[in-house]
Amino acid sequence: MEFKQIEAFVNVVKHKSFSKAADATFLTQPTISAHISALERELGCALIERRGRESVPTKAGKELYRYAVDMVNTREAAISAVGRGGEKAGAVLEIQASGIPGQFIVPKLIAGFSKNYPNVRFYMEISDSREAAENIINHKGEIGFTGENRRNNRLEYTLIGKEKALLITPDLPEYEGIAGDDGKVILERLCDERFIWREDGSATRELFEEKYRKETGKSLKAVATLNDVEAIKQCVAAGLGISVVSAAALDEGDAASRRIKTFEVSDEFTREFYMIYRKSGVLSPAAADFIKYVKACI
């Protein structure tokens, strides 16, 4: 049993795909397949089975996976501890992130970290806050960045920053009446507006819908659901509807932001962003160093 085979197996289970496992480890798909086949021959049982487009572990595979993740990370930690892993040569750090952190916060952290650790490579998957947290719990990545603290006792949460959440509308005169004299949104005036939202699981969406229901007793109308903040901005700028996004997503330099009006919801309506990782298990040296770097940047 070789560690390259174990690493290939861990990544196929994490990503439910041979091709995605290859992308995450910067290897070819045939190489990943060869490693899995060799491991199955040695153990005398099937470890991975295909279900439609997904590759999932068999019963034996699930048992092996429980140990394999810690085996890989413990090996890297041991190498680092005795001085051979100081440069983290060839390390791949897998990150899960929700939309705003993944698009506007994590890239800057990666760039800064890479100045000290140029040999660490990154694989980041962007989804929503709920899915990002679930993926970290299920070992699909070591470090996550989300827009909420779900207080899951299996995860460690570190607050890394706060941003105002703003209502955005097309830059048209009819939307000026949404706000009061203080410039803040009057929620009762939104009952007939059409909202463009991120998917279920988006922290911004959940926070705003909860606030609206509490204050008005009503539900908002949705005209579209998109999984990309930039696409939402484009739709708002084009006049499809309105939305709520983090201030971090707005840049006066891009064309869409110049065709959008922004309104504050309330002084206390802010987004909090967290770095998350599992409380149990062994972190790879690259992940441990990245966590230290992020905490130093706060």
Side-chain angles (χ1 to χ4, degrees), residues 12-89:
V12 170
V13 176
K14 280 182 183 179
H15 299 286
K16 298 182 179 180
S17 164
F18 281 74
S19 60
K20 289 182 179 179
D23 289 341
T25 52
F26 299 89
L27 297 173
T28 65
Q29 185 173 334
T31 299
I32 295 292
S33 298
H35 286 326
I36 299 298
S37 296
L39 189 59
E40 289 178 328
R41 285 196 301 272
E42 180 175 349
L43 296 176
C45 61
L47 299 172
I48 301 291
E49 63 180 349
R50 296 185 182 276
R51 293 181 183 173
R53 295 184 177 181
E54 289 188 343
S55 298
V56 298
T58 62
K59 183 177 180 180
K62 290 177 182 178
E63 286 297 312
L64 177 62
Y65 186 73
R66 292 171 51 206
Y67 302 98
V69 173
D70 282 350
M71 287 170 63
V72 172
N73 288 342
T74 300
R75 173 180 178 268
E76 291 183 10
I79 292 173
S80 181
V82 297
R84 291 179 53 206
E87 296 182 359
K88 310 296 184 296

Side-chain angles (χ1 to χ4, degrees), residues 136-242:
I136 294 300
I137 291 171
N138 294 324
H139 296 271
K140 190 178 178 182
E142 291 190 85
I143 302 174
F145 292 87
T146 73
E148 63 181 347
N149 183 344
R150 291 185 177 273
R151 302 185 183 280
N152 190 299
N153 58 14
R154 287 178 288 179
L155 296 174
E156 190 72 41
Y157 289 81
T158 300
L159 179 65
I160 62 170
K162 297 181 179 181
E163 285 279 355
K164 284 187 176 180
L166 303 174
L167 183 85
I168 60 173
T169 74
D171 188 10
L172 298 171
E174 58 258 38
Y175 290 99
E176 293 176 0
I178 281 179
D181 293 337
D182 60 356
K184 304 286 195 307
V185 172
I186 299 174
L187 295 180
E188 289 80 2
R189 296 181 183 177
L190 302 179
C191 61
D192 294 324
E193 298 296 335
R194 304 193 306 170
F195 275 78
I196 305 164
W197 286 125
R198 287 282 309 277
E199 67 278 9
D200 286 339
S202 162
T204 302
R205 174 179 181 172
E206 290 181 355
L207 287 170
F208 188 79
E209 287 185 322
E210 181 181 4
K211 179 178 179 63
Y212 184 80
R213 282 193 298 269
K214 283 183 177 179
E215 294 196 19
T216 69
K218 301 176 182 178
S219 297
L220 295 166
K221 300 176 182 178
V223 64
T225 302
L226 308 174
N227 63 1
D228 182 80
V229 176
E230 291 300 320
I232 289 173
K233 287 163 54 180
Q234 292 288 346
C235 287
V236 171
L240 179 62
I242 67 177

Side-chain angles (χ1 to χ4, degrees), residues 1-11 25 27 31-32 34-36 39 72 75:
M1 184 183 298
E2 298 180 3
F3 265 96
K4 289 182 179 179
Q5 298 166 357
I6 294 294
E7 288 171 335
F9 168 72
V10 166
N11 279 289
T25 52
L27 297 173
T31 299
I32 295 292
H35 286 326
I36 299 298
L39 189 59
V72 172
R75 173 180 178 268

Side-chain angles (χ1 to χ4, degrees), residues 251-295:
D251 181 355
E252 294 181 358
D254 73 69
S257 294
R258 291 197 299 269
R259 292 183 288 130
I260 286 172
K261 284 183 178 292
T262 62
F263 301 90
E264 287 192 28
V265 178
S266 63
D267 291 333
E268 75 278 3
F269 192 68
T270 59
R271 288 288 315 281
E272 294 182 340
F273 300 109
Y274 295 87
M275 174 175 64
I276 60 174
Y277 51 93
R278 291 181 300 278
K279 288 182 177 179
S280 62
V282 181
L283 287 168
S284 69
D289 285 336
F290 190 70
I291 288 169
K292 291 178 183 177
Y293 173 79
V294 173
K295 288 182 176 181

